[in-house]
Each structure stands twice: as C-alpha cells, then as structure tokens.
Amino acid sequence: MTEASGAAVVRFCAPGGAIIGHGVLVDDEHVVTCAHVVNAALGRQLRSTDDARGEILRLEFPLLAQLTALAPERRARVDAWQAPGAGTAFDGLDVAGLTLVGESRPIGAIPVPLAQEARTEGDVLLFGPVEGRPGGWVPAQLRPLVKQYRQQIDQRSQGAHVAQPRYSGTPVLDPKAERVLGILVATAVARQDTDVYAIPVADLVAAWPAAFAPLPASPYKGLEAFGQDDAPLFFGRDAMTDDLVSAVDSRGLVPVVGASGAGKSSLVRAGLMPRLAAGRTDWRFALVRPRPHLAHALAAGFAQAAGAPRSVPVSELEAWQSRIASLGLAAAGDLVLASTGAERLLLVVDQFEEAVDGSPATDEMLDQLAELAGRERSATVAVLTLRDDAFGGLFVRPGRFGEALRRTAVALLGMSADELSEAILQPARLRGLTVHDHLVRKLATLVQGRPGALPLLEFTLDRMWATLQRGQDTLSFEAYAEIGELHGALAEYADGVLAALTPEERSLVRRLFLNHLIAPDQPDVRRVATRTELRPAQWAIAVRLANERLLTTSSGDTGEETVEVVHEALLRAWGTLASWLKEEEPFRNWRRMLAYAMRRHEAGEESAAVLTGPLLADAERWLEERPSDITVDERRFVNANREHQDREEHRYRTLFEESVVRALTQAAQRADNADTALLLAVEALERSAEPAADLLVRSCLRHMGASEQEEVPESEYENDLRRMADRIRLREWAAGPPGRWTTAPGSTRHWALGDEDISVLIDERGNVRIHWGASDSGAVVPLTAPAVIAACTSTATALCLGTEAGELHLYQITDSVKEMWQLSLPCAATCVAVDGQGSKIAVSCDDGITRVLSAQAEGEEFLALPSPGFVEDLDFGPDGLALAVQTAGSHIAVWDLTSGERRCDTDATMDHVAFSADGEYLLSAGPRTNDSGTVVRLPLHPGRLAALARQAAGRILSVDEWQRHVGMRPLTQGAATLSDSTPPG
C-alpha cells in the first residue's frame, strides 16, 4: 500500500539539487503543497506573501526512480495561492495548488485523493527523504487542532529517521483508506521534540475548492465485474435476477450461459447473491474460479465457506479435497452447513469454461455437479457462469454432465432499451448527478443487441465521469466526445497509457499481451499468466498496467501470483492490439499449432511426441528467433520432440545400417572371388561393431592365405611386453624357473614378478617370498600347498596365487602382506591374470571355463566364459573391460566383459598374449633378427583390421561390384555418414 501511495508524492529541489520540500498528486493533474515550499523553489523568502500564481516549477516523483533509471520530472503551474503568514509557521493558510502542464502524470504515479472528512485521531504516515534511498515513511499519531489551520502530529520514530524541515508539503496519509488527511507544514525546532504540525484537509479544500473539493466517486465499474458490495449500483437486471432466484430455489445446478461481456459474473455477484442474502433463508456463499484446477478451487471455496481464512492452510485444503472426492459435493456442502448453522449453500464457479481441461479429476467433478442437477431444492446449489462458445462443446458432451447442462442451462438474455437506460441513469442519480436524456437513448441504442458491449458501456461512462469538473451535475455529449465515444473510449485510453511508456516498455507490453495474456488459438479470449512464467521486467510492467486498470493481478489460494486482462472487451476493442496480432500472425499461427499438439499429447492421443519434419524445424527456428516469447512449457515440449526425433532418426539409421551389413555379409559369403569376398566383409566390418563382422573378415583373410598378424620392431611395445613377466602359467611352472633372479652361485632359481620396489619371488618348490627394494630380507607368504600359477599388477600391489591344491589366494601388498581372500577352485587351474587396477581376477580351469572374479567382493564370480581346451595365457585389456584368452592350438578369443560377448575369435600363432596400451592390438614376442627383437601383433580394432584386409586385397570394390553383389550403389564409408546416403528402394 505505502509503495503505491508513495508513487503519488512529488518533491521540489533548489537549483543546486538540494531537496527543499514535497507535495502530493491528488488527482490526474493537480498537486497540493505548502506555499512556503513554492517560495523556496522560486528562490524567494520563505514567508513571502507575494502572489505566485502563474509561476512554473519543476517537480519530480522520487519513488518512481525504482521503476525507471531516474525519477520522472514534470512541469507544474501555480494556480491556487494562499500565502504563508509573515510571522511564524503557524500564521497564514500556507497552501499552494499546482496543475501539471505540458505532459500528463508519469505512468505509475497513481494519485492519492484528499479525504472527504477531517480526522482528529488515528495512525498516519509521513513521507520524506532518507539517506541512501528515494524516501521513506515515518509512522505518527494524529492529535486535535492546536490553532486555526494547524493540527498536531506526534511522531513515533526516534533518531535520524524523523520528519525534518525538508518534509514540508509531504502528505499526511491515512494508511488504511489511502487518503490524504493533510500536508506537513512545520516541524519542531528542538531536536528532541518529535511534534510536527499539518494543514488539515478541510483547509486544503478551502484553499482551492474548484480543484480540491472532492467529486463523488464514479458509480460505474469500468471493465471490472460488479461484486456483492456493488449491489446498490447494479441496475437493469431485476427480471433476470428473479429468474435466477427461482432456478436456485428449485434445483441443484444452475448454469448461466452468455457471451463474454454479457454480464454473467455481475448478475450472479451483484444480483443473485445480494438478493438471496436479503431473503428469509440463511445462505452461505462459496465463490470460486477454477484455478489452478477445479478440484483445488472447490476445496478452497468449501473451506472458506466453512470459516477458513482467505489463504487456506494446505492441510485444510487437502482435507476438503479428500472429503469432496469421497463424499461428493452435496455431502461436503452439508458439512459446511452443519459447521456454520446456515440453511443452504450457494457454490458459484465463475468462468467455468476454465475448468474444462480433460483431466480425470475434472471429469469426476463434472459428474458430481451432474448429481446436484438431479436434486430438487437442494441444500447445496451450484451456479456456473459459462461463455456461450464453451457451452457448445459441453452441451454435446456425452454422459451425465452434458445431459444436466442441456436440461438446466439458463441463457443470459440481452438487456432491453429500458433496462439499459436504467443501468446508465440510476447509478448517476445515486451520486446526485444525471445523464443527458439524448445521450442515454444514444448509448442504449448502440449497446442493445450487441453481445459483449456492456463492459464498453460501463467503461465509457466511467471515463466520462472522470472528465467531470467540480460544480458539474450532468454527463454530457461533450464529455462523450472527449473520451472517444463508445467505440473509441477504451482504445483511446489504452493507447494513452501505452504512449506514456518508453519504447522499451512498449515492446514489453506488446510481448506480454501477445505471448502471455491472449489465448494462442482465440485472440479475443484472455489467458491467465503466472508470475513464474514472466520475466521480472514483464511482471513489473504488468503491475504498472494493473495500476492503470488495463490488467488485474491476484494471488490464488496457493499464493501464486497471476495477471490477466481486466476484461476481454479490451481484446476486442483495442485497435493497436489488433494491428499487433496481424503483424504476429505467422508466429501466432505456429503457437496455435503448438498448443493443439500439446493438448493432443497431454490427452494421450499420441504415445510419443507429435512434431516431426518441417513442423519441428519451424519450432526450432522460432525457439532461436523468439526465445523470450516462448513459455517454459512450450520450450520443454519442443525439446522433447527434438529428442524423440533424434531417437527415431538414430533408430532408422541403425535399422538401415543393419540391413546394409546383412546384405554385405550375405554377399561376402556368396562371392566366388576371394578378394571380392574380403572387400565385402570389410565394408560390413566398417559399418558394424558386431563380432560376426570381425570373424567374417578374419575368415576371408585365411581363405585368401593372408595372415592376420604383422611383425613390427620390439622397441614400439617394450613396456606392453613387460606385463607378460608378471604372470606364471602352469606350462612355465612345469619347465622350471628361468633364473631371472639369483643370489650367490648355486642358489635356488626363482621366478621374479613385480618391479624394483616390490618383488614377488617364487622358487621351483612353489615357495613365495616378498622383497621390498634391494633388501635381501623379506616376508614369506604362507601357503598350504605350492604355488603353481601367479599374476600380479605391474607394481605388485595386488598378487594372486593358485596352488597345487586348487586354491586361489589374493593378497594386498603395501609395506606388509595382507591376504584379502582365498577360495577353492572346482578343478585345477592353468593360468591367472590380474587387471591393471587390481579389481578383477581371471582364472582358467581344466573344466573349459574361464572365470572372471571380483577382487573386492571376496572373489565373487560375475562372468563364466567358455574356453574349451588347454588355456595357455590370459590378459586384461588396458581399461579392464576386455579379456584375451589363448588356448592350445593357437586359438585366441577376446571377450567383452561388459556384455559377456565374444569380440574376436581367431587362430594365430602366438606364444604369450598382451594387449597394447591403446587396446587396438594383441601382442606376442616374435623372432629375433640381427640382435634386435620383433613383436607379432594381431589387430583387434575394426579400423586396424579393415586397413590390414584392404592392404591384403590390394584394391577397392568397384561400382559394378556393389551393384552386382549388394544391389545398390556404393555408400559413403563408415556408419557415421550413412545419414547422407540414400537408402535402397
């Protein structure tokens, strides 16, 4: 409240910028302040009695600096002058009245009218400068008059924030009524004295009665609906009110159907409800709007009717939702009546068209409303206000609710000429004024028979009322022409509000209306926008437009703030908005399409997304071009569709690639020519990660008599080959230690595993010792049977031993040796391997199974790989996710430990096996030539194998071979670019 009222405060500054006093805007163009403040602004003596009328001053609106970069300034002319006394601040009336000239009041500067009656006690607020802020409020208490023209005010604040001389002219504000009770004129001289003095409102009016004498408040509602408290001003609907009272008395459901702007809400609130309240029956009322959804709104309405506060606690809201769901509306209404002692409950669901969302919860509520329709003189009666365009869809709805609607609907008839004349004339007479007879007839003629014209009529009359000057007692044709007549009043007013904004603010207003406040598929239907979906700048401009009565803000039962157009008449009558809509038609057409797609998706008509191809391309273009104009839900829906299409395209590419691979594989298997078969197999391999393609290429290589292996210098893979020295296989155990590590001559020979920091020594009897560094001493590893196989990590921090008794032991070695676990194998083991991290163990047994165990989980087996024959060697890939198994007969299989599938299966003559550091080859020591060693390497990576195979073939497939063997033209090599290819057929 104080922020809005503070926006009406003006301040005056000396030429150097120092604040010298304040004033207050009491209507659209008039400001009141102290005469001595005007003297100070003109550079005169404060107590000067020289007439200042006609002088032009500059003033500014300090609190509006919170909305704009600088406080807006205006020029004002002194038109009323009651000089200060020549003696003290208690002499003379000391009042000046000013009129804004050149520009109208700034947008957001909402006037605070003068109170109509003086007061001598109560809480008030004073506004003035505060260090570091545009201004602040000082609480105070009114006291009686102490002298003619002066009223005492006792401040409550102490310290720096108290009224001071620069506060002169500031309003004395009634914080509850938001009316000016006077203006500050003097402060106490003594610093410790907190008393200040004001000129009361009666003396302000006396100083300039032509401007300050209060006009009666407008009896017309403008674009707002009549409320229950407006019943004395509601005329012309007696007959319809009688019909509604009869309908409510006889049945449990009364839908009131009419066009937007026909007055449905006003009829129910200001006609029906007051009439019922004045009758003999004790009625209880629950007035709701179905937001965020009908079930929630009904629960809130019942809770409030039972006595809950406006903001219903969550627990109580949930309790009423449960009661309504389990008992039904009628029984829930009985609970309200029992708790309040009332006889009947009127449930009003205003703007019922907002409730129909197709959700199961809403459908259940519609069934409960249909149950009320079947009750005669029901204790709980539901009245629904419903637009006629929405009524058509519900009218043909199958089921109980559609039938109940057809049977009980009450059509809101248009007003007759006499009724319209009464609605125009009678409210003015209540204020002691009249309307020119010919103008009454003209307005009634223009409105009669025009659905939706009543808000325009009320707005026109309200704007005409604002043109009244003091002393006038008739609304005339001159005022009617001044505001733009019936067809132009609303548009002219809205354009005036828009013109007072900056270009950036006007752009915000345009986007706010087009993207958030108008239904995408119905340009004359308003949409409710939540604060969370608006940017801060959009919400700030929405609040300012609400102050100008073009929009209305509210806070729902959940506390969520919303904004909407004050009435749909604005959407139909504002030409500027119509031109915006025409310019935005392509974008709005797309948003309508998007809204339709979103409704279909939410209704479950499509199991997946519904935007594809050009529709999705358009959506992504708008998303890029207009990101700030698209709601969070719309953006989320478009992104979900993009993800869906990406998945579909990937699935299509995968299916197409699989079909191409099948065709290539079958062609390779049928081909008579060996090199042609190999090249076809290579094409399949480059498009498929399946082991079958790998096996096919290797088979074709063997069929050509070409080798899968290459010999390269040992120097390229020295570090990789060292890993072979960290394993002892059963076949090596049988041959005896090679004497890699010895002491004095004649000492026992040992195998030596590990590195120079930690060495694992195993002698020919299977005894195991651990040595640290170069020390001769070490730790004996106690075993119940000799160790016959062994493997460790490169640093020997993890050591696995297999014994003659079929036991497997795992040790952790740091500065001591710790056994982690031991287990018994089902049969004798031939070799063992440990991965580089010491997290997995692989052990091959005579039963033809290679078992992969978890080093951390007590040796738990998580994979069993078939390995028929005698397994000679094992090695883990560098990432621990692959395992090479070499069996007697030079057969090698490479397993994927994630999927448990065989990645490679080939016959290759290799002594040991070891993965290269990049995992692309299997390595083994080759023959020595000229005192330098070689390495035999077997390609594992599809690209390496394909390159080797193409080199063996010595050529590429021709176009004719593609057509003859595969039935299509050559495709771009590699699956990554298949999307650029044209599928066959």
Side-chain angles (χ1 to χ4, degrees):
M1 183 283 300
T2 54
E3 182 176 347
S5 302
V9 176
V10 303
R11 68 184 176 196
F12 300 88
C13 297
I19 300 172
I20 57 176
H22 289 73
V24 60
L25 183 72
V26 296
D27 58 28
D28 282 342
E29 59 177 349
H30 295 123
V31 172
V32 62
T33 186
C34 296
H36 77 265
V37 172
V38 171
N39 282 335
L42 293 173
R44 308 194 305 193
Q45 293 293 322
L46 289 183
R47 314 309 303 172
S48 173
T49 59
D50 293 344
D51 195 341
R53 284 179 294 183
E55 296 285 353
I56 303 296
L57 304 178
R58 294 202 69 81
L59 51 84
E60 59 185 33
F61 293 79
L63 273 195
L64 292 188
Q66 298 177 4
L67 302 177
T68 58
L70 297 172
E73 293 188 352
R74 291 293 186 268
R75 297 167 66 244
R77 181 184 62 243
V78 181
D79 283 340
W81 180 258
Q82 294 292 332
T88 69
F90 289 86
D91 299 326
L93 193 53
D94 199 1
V95 176
L98 297 85
T99 305
L100 299 181
V101 294
E103 294 181 87
S104 60
R105 63 180 174 85
I107 187 89
I110 309 302
V112 181
L114 298 175
Q116 297 191 22
E117 297 180 357
R119 284 177 48 193
T120 58
E121 60 180 13
D123 295 331
V124 293
L125 293 171
L126 313 173
F127 183 89
V130 176
E131 195 68 33
R133 288 191 283 150
W137 294 95
V138 177
Q141 187 79 21
L142 274 180
R143 300 297 183 205
L145 292 174
V146 295
K147 184 179 179 180
Q148 186 182 16
Y149 313 137
R150 301 294 180 265
Q151 187 169 8
Q152 182 178 347
I153 298 176
D154 180 19
Q155 296 186 72
R156 291 181 176 176
S157 295
Q158 299 291 332
H161 195 185
V162 295
Q164 303 166 40
R166 293 181 299 165
Y167 278 53
S168 292
T170 197
V172 178
L173 185 70
D174 179 347
K176 294 182 179 179
E178 296 189 59
R179 293 291 185 269
V180 175
L181 299 172
I183 59 173
L184 197 70
V185 69
T187 59
V189 176
R191 183 68 182 86
Q192 67 274 15
D193 191 348
T194 60
D195 289 344
V196 294
Y197 301 90
I199 303 171
V201 65
D203 293 325
L204 301 179
V205 173
W208 196 8
F212 293 157
L215 283 168
S218 171
Y220 302 107
K221 294 296 292 179
L223 298 180
E224 297 178 3
F226 285 81
Q228 197 171 354
D229 295 336
D230 299 316
L233 303 173
F234 187 66
F235 291 96
R237 283 297 197 184
D238 287 342
M240 279 302 308
T241 302
D242 290 342
D243 290 346
L244 275 190
V245 170
S246 298
V248 166
D249 188 59
S250 60
R251 55 182 184 262
L253 180 67
V254 183
V256 180
V257 182
S260 174
K264 302 180 294 296
S265 299
S266 296
L267 174 64
V268 173
R269 295 181 184 186
L272 174 64
M273 292 172 66
R275 182 79 68 84
L276 294 177
R280 295 180 179 178
T281 302
D282 184 6
W283 282 88
R284 195 76 176 177
F285 300 107
L287 176 61
V288 303
R289 189 169 170 183
R291 296 185 309 191
H293 47 75
L294 181 58
H296 182 283
L298 290 174
F302 274 67
Q304 291 162 2
R310 175 71 181 86
S311 181
V312 182
V314 174
S315 59
E316 194 162 350
L317 193 64
E318 292 174 346
W320 276 104
Q321 281 185 286
S322 176
R323 291 174 191 137
I324 294 172
S326 59
L327 301 176
L329 289 173
D334 292 340
L335 292 177
V336 172
L337 298 177
S339 65
T340 60
E343 297 175 66
R344 302 185 75 183
L345 172 67
L346 184 73
L347 169 64
V348 178
V349 185
D350 199 12
Q351 299 183 39
F352 186 74
E353 62 274 358
E354 295 180 354
V356 185
D357 57 9
S359 67
T362 298
D363 290 344
E364 184 178 340
M365 288 296 102
L366 297 184
D367 288 341
Q368 293 196 24
L369 287 169
E371 288 182 7
L372 288 177
R375 294 170 174 259
E376 294 184 4
R377 192 169 172 76
S378 172
T380 296
V381 182
V383 172
L384 318 177
T385 68
L386 181 63
R387 272 202 328 260
D388 53 3
D389 57 345
F391 173 74
L394 290 172
F395 183 84
V396 296
R397 182 186 180 94
R400 291 187 297 170
F401 183 76
E403 189 277 329
L405 197 64
R406 294 191 290 272
R407 180 165 46 86
T408 60
V410 175
L412 181 56
L413 304 177
M415 297 176 72
S416 67
D418 289 341
E419 288 175 326
L420 287 167
S421 297
E422 186 180 4
I424 296 168
L425 191 57
Q426 291 302 329
R429 287 178 175 172
L430 286 178
R431 297 287 193 262
L433 278 75
T434 189
V435 185
H436 195 285
D437 289 343
H438 187 44
L439 180 58
V440 172
R441 290 194 295 273
K442 181 177 180 64
L443 289 172
T445 300
L446 288 172
V447 173
Q448 188 178 12
R450 286 188 56 195
L454 285 179
L456 285 179
L457 174 64
E458 284 287 316
F459 184 84
T460 301
L461 291 167
D462 184 56
R463 293 294 294 160
M464 290 170 62
W465 193 274
T467 67
L468 285 172
Q469 301 296 317
R470 287 160 181 80
Q472 286 184 296
D473 61 1
T474 303
L475 292 178
S476 63
F477 269 101
E478 289 77 8
Y480 181 60
E482 180 182 339
I483 56 96
E485 301 188 354
L486 180 72
H487 300 290
L490 181 53
E492 186 174 315
Y493 174 74
D495 283 337
V497 172
L498 197 65
L501 300 173
T502 65
E504 293 78 11
E505 290 168 336
R506 287 195 288 273
S507 177
L508 279 173
V509 172
R510 172 182 170 137
R511 290 158 64 181
L512 179 67
F513 270 85
L514 294 178
N515 301 322
H516 300 286
L517 300 181
I518 302 176
D521 51 349
Q522 294 177 283
D524 60 345
V525 175
R526 61 184 165 187
R527 175 183 177 274
V528 179
T530 63
R531 181 171 185 173
T532 54
E533 74 181 71
L534 301 181
R535 298 172 182 266
Q538 290 175 320
W539 181 257
I541 204 70
V543 171
R544 293 174 68 183
L545 294 183
N547 289 336
E548 300 294 336
R549 298 181 300 171
L550 292 179
L551 306 180
T552 180
T553 59
S554 62
S555 181
D557 300 314
T558 60
E560 184 175 32
E561 293 179 278
T562 61
V563 63
E564 60 187 308
V565 176
V566 67
H567 199 282
E568 288 170 348
L570 176 63
L571 305 181
R572 296 189 291 269
W574 194 10
T576 299
L577 180 59
S579 66
W580 289 347
L581 287 167
K582 186 175 181 180
E583 294 167 5
E584 288 286 294
E585 194 60 29
F587 182 60
R588 287 184 56 78
N589 281 340
W590 170 76
R591 291 194 80 196
R592 280 193 286 271
M593 178 277 302
L594 186 66
Y596 172 69
M598 292 173 70
R599 286 197 300 270
R600 288 179 62 199
H601 182 62
E602 290 169 2
E605 294 183 28
E606 302 267 342
S607 60
V610 293
L611 296 182
T612 56
L615 295 178
L616 183 57
D618 282 347
E620 292 180 319
R621 175 173 62 84
W622 287 120
L623 210 64
E624 182 177 353
E625 293 178 5
R626 305 283 290 272
S628 60
D629 297 335
I630 294 172
T631 67
V632 173
D633 288 340
E634 289 169 338
R635 181 182 298 275
R636 187 181 294 120
F637 183 70
V638 171
N639 289 337
N641 277 265
R642 162 47 61 201
E643 293 171 2
H644 172 75
Q645 179 154 307
D646 287 345
R647 289 192 300 271
E648 287 296 297
E649 288 179 353
H650 180 267
R651 186 171 69 87
Y652 170 78
R653 287 196 302 268
T654 301
L655 291 173
F656 176 58
E657 291 160 8
E658 289 173 353
S659 69
V660 172
V661 169
R662 283 196 299 272
L664 288 166
T665 300
Q666 292 168 3
Q669 292 168 343
R670 291 194 304 262
D672 295 330
N673 185 280
D675 60 345
T676 301
L678 176 62
L679 289 173
L680 289 167
V682 169
E683 293 286 349
L685 176 66
E686 289 177 334
R687 290 167 172 80
S688 173
E690 293 297 319
D694 180 279
L695 296 173
L696 180 62
V697 171
R698 297 183 191 278
S699 173
C700 289
L701 279 169
R702 289 193 294 271
H703 189 258
M704 284 183 61
S707 174
E708 306 167 50
Q709 298 168 270
E710 305 171 283
E711 285 191 12
V712 294
E714 185 181 37
S715 56
E716 294 184 27
Y717 296 104
E718 285 186 49
N719 291 332
D720 301 323
L721 292 174
R722 286 197 188 103
R723 194 165 58 254
M724 298 179 184
D726 292 326
R727 296 193 295 270
I728 302 176
R729 303 175 292 170
L730 185 61
R731 183 161 291 176
E732 289 176 318
W733 164 260
R740 297 176 195 155
W741 189 93
T742 61
T743 56
S747 298
T748 305
R749 293 188 303 162
H750 295 80
W751 284 277
L753 286 65
D755 61 12
E756 58 186 14
D757 293 324
I758 302 176
S759 299
V760 180
L761 305 180
I762 305 176
D763 65 19
E764 56 191 352
R765 298 184 183 87
N767 300 316
V768 182
R769 292 178 59 86
I770 309 297
H771 282 255
W772 287 269
S775 173
D776 288 338
S777 63
V780 175
V781 178
L783 292 171
T784 58
V788 294
I789 57 173
C792 66
T793 57
S794 59
T795 57
T797 52
L799 170 66
C800 188
L801 300 173
T803 71
E804 230 174 27
E807 292 181 341
L808 198 66
H809 300 255
L810 181 68
Y811 299 92
Q812 181 181 353
I813 305 173
T814 52
D815 53 356
S816 61
V817 181
K818 179 182 179 182
E819 185 174 35
M820 306 303 295
W821 47 259
Q822 71 174 42
L823 54 83
S824 296
L825 296 171
C827 58
T830 63
C831 54
V832 67
V834 180
D835 75 339
Q837 292 74 40
S839 62
K840 298 186 186 74
I841 308 296
V843 58
S844 295
C845 299
D846 277 343
D847 61 357
I849 301 294
T850 295
R851 293 168 174 82
V852 184
L853 315 175
S854 170
Q856 286 83 12
E858 299 296 323
E860 179 182 349
E861 179 183 314
F862 65 86
L863 208 57
L865 307 175
S867 308
F870 184 88
V871 177
E872 294 190 338
D873 201 7
L874 299 170
D875 193 36
F876 280 100
D879 57 5
L881 301 180
L883 179 69
V885 181
Q886 179 189 17
T887 56
S890 302
H891 184 82
I892 296 174
V894 179
W895 295 87
D896 185 327
L897 300 184
T898 301
S899 64
E901 295 181 352
R902 197 189 310 256
R903 281 172 35 185
C904 171
D905 197 347
T906 185
D907 293 325
T909 304
M910 303 182 80
D911 182 29
H912 282 270
V913 288
F915 278 90
S916 62
D918 56 15
E920 295 185 356
Y921 294 97
L922 271 182
L923 310 172
S924 182
R928 301 190 65 80
T929 307
N930 299 327
D931 296 328
S932 63
T934 60
V935 169
V936 175
R937 68 181 187 184
L938 179 74
L940 298 178
H941 188 276
R944 301 295 186 189
L945 180 59
L948 178 68
R950 287 186 183 279
Q951 185 178 7
R955 66 182 185 87
I956 62 173
L957 283 175
S958 67
V959 174
D960 288 342
E961 286 176 314
W962 267 94
Q963 291 280 18
R964 185 168 66 255
H965 292 284
V966 189
M968 67 177 73
R969 293 180 61 81
L971 299 175
T972 304
Q973 181 176 327
T977 55
L978 276 179
S979 57
D980 299 327
S981 306
T982 303

